[in-house]
């Protein structure tokens, strides 16, 4: 005996589920964003690097930002696999990035700077950058702490845009 969906909310949940299932099962390449905290345990950095390496080797396009920590590990992995499949979107201009980040970012082929955000506080510029990244991706993988407000809001926004979101917590 089958049940029909009685409310628009129930129907919407089924639609969301079916869209997520289709995205996960998609056999072609996907646009996957990896974002996360700057303050990452060292053992986790290697895992993030390996995951981004494997995703890019699988033919997926990877998007991330240029911060240290999670994003830097994602960049390293993608660069080892295929630099052409990596896009890094910065919250501000390259000149505003820390020196250790700039050295890595100088090697990125597809680098998007947001110099217009240089006058903003980094938190505000990062939030805008994250919005741009999720607007370009099909799936978001995020590494955060329970008090990572900007990242958690980014995940919520991505879910509202019907993106597949995988959220890992460090704590």
């Amino acid at each position: 005996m089958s049940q029909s969906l009685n409310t628009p909310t129930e129907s919407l949940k089924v639609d969301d589920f079916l869209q997520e299932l289709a995205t996960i099962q998609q056999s072609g390449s996907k646009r996957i964003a990896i974002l996360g905290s700057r303050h990452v345990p060292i053992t986790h950095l290697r895992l993030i690097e390996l995951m981004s390496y494997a995703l890019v080797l699988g033919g997926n396009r990877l998007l991330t930002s240029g911060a240290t920590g999670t994003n830097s590990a994602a960049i390293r992995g993608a660069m080892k696999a295929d630099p052409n499949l990596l896009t890094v979107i910065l919250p501000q201009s390259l000149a505003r990035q820390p020196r250790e980040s700039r050295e890595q970012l100088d090697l990125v082929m597809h680098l998007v700077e947001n110099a217009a955000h240089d006058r903003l506080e980094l938190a505000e510029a990062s939030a805008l950058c994250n919005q741009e990244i999720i607007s370009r991706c099909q799936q978001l993988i995020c590494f955060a702490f329970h008090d990572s407000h900007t990242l958690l809001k980014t995940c919520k926004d991505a879910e509202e845009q019907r993106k597949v979101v995988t959220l890992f917590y460090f704590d």
Side-chain angles (χ1 to χ4, degrees):
M1 181 166 113
S2 67
Q3 284 186 333
S4 64
L5 299 173
N6 298 332
T7 68
T9 302
E10 289 173 333
S11 179
L12 200 62
K13 286 180 183 176
V14 170
D15 289 346
D16 289 348
F17 172 75
L18 291 175
Q19 182 177 350
E20 287 183 14
L21 184 61
T23 300
I24 291 168
Q25 291 179 328
Q26 178 182 338
S27 60
S29 69
K30 292 180 241 167
R31 291 178 318 277
I32 300 173
I34 296 180
L35 295 173
S37 176
R38 289 174 175 85
H39 311 288
V40 181
I42 191 99
T43 54
H44 292 74
L45 290 175
R46 184 69 178 136
L47 292 172
I48 294 165
E49 184 178 333
L50 287 170
M51 181 175 55
S52 70
Y53 176 78
L55 288 169
V56 172
L57 271 185
N60 296 292
R61 297 192 158 277
L62 191 75
L63 296 111
T64 192
S65 190
T68 58
T70 299
N71 302 342
S72 180
I75 292 169
R76 277 193 308 276
M79 293 288 286
K80 287 177 185 173
D82 185 346
N84 196 46
L85 294 178
L86 170 67
T87 300
V88 176
I89 301 173
L90 300 178
Q92 297 172 319
S93 66
L94 182 60
R96 296 286 308 256
Q97 305 309 305
R99 183 186 48 76
E100 63 274 10
S101 294
R102 283 196 310 262
E103 291 171 8
Q104 181 184 45
L105 294 170
D106 282 338
L107 304 173
V108 174
M109 293 169 43
H110 304 290
L111 184 69
V112 179
E113 295 182 60
N114 280 298
H117 297 165
D118 282 356
R119 60 180 166 63
L120 303 175
E121 293 293 324
L122 181 58
E124 186 179 359
S126 293
L128 292 170
C129 178
N130 290 353
Q131 291 304 312
E132 182 177 350
I133 289 170
I134 63 172
S135 74
R136 294 182 182 207
C137 76
Q138 296 168 290
Q139 183 174 354
L140 169 63
I141 301 171
C142 187
F143 297 87
F145 292 93
H146 281 85
D147 64 352
S148 302
H149 303 292
T150 301
L151 289 169
L152 297 178
K153 181 173 182 338
T154 298
C155 290
K156 184 176 186 269
D157 293 344
E159 287 172 343
E160 288 172 358
Q161 292 179 35
R162 302 176 80 170
K163 310 288 181 166
V164 175
V165 176
T166 305
L167 176 57
F168 295 99
Y169 287 101
F170 291 121
D171 55 358

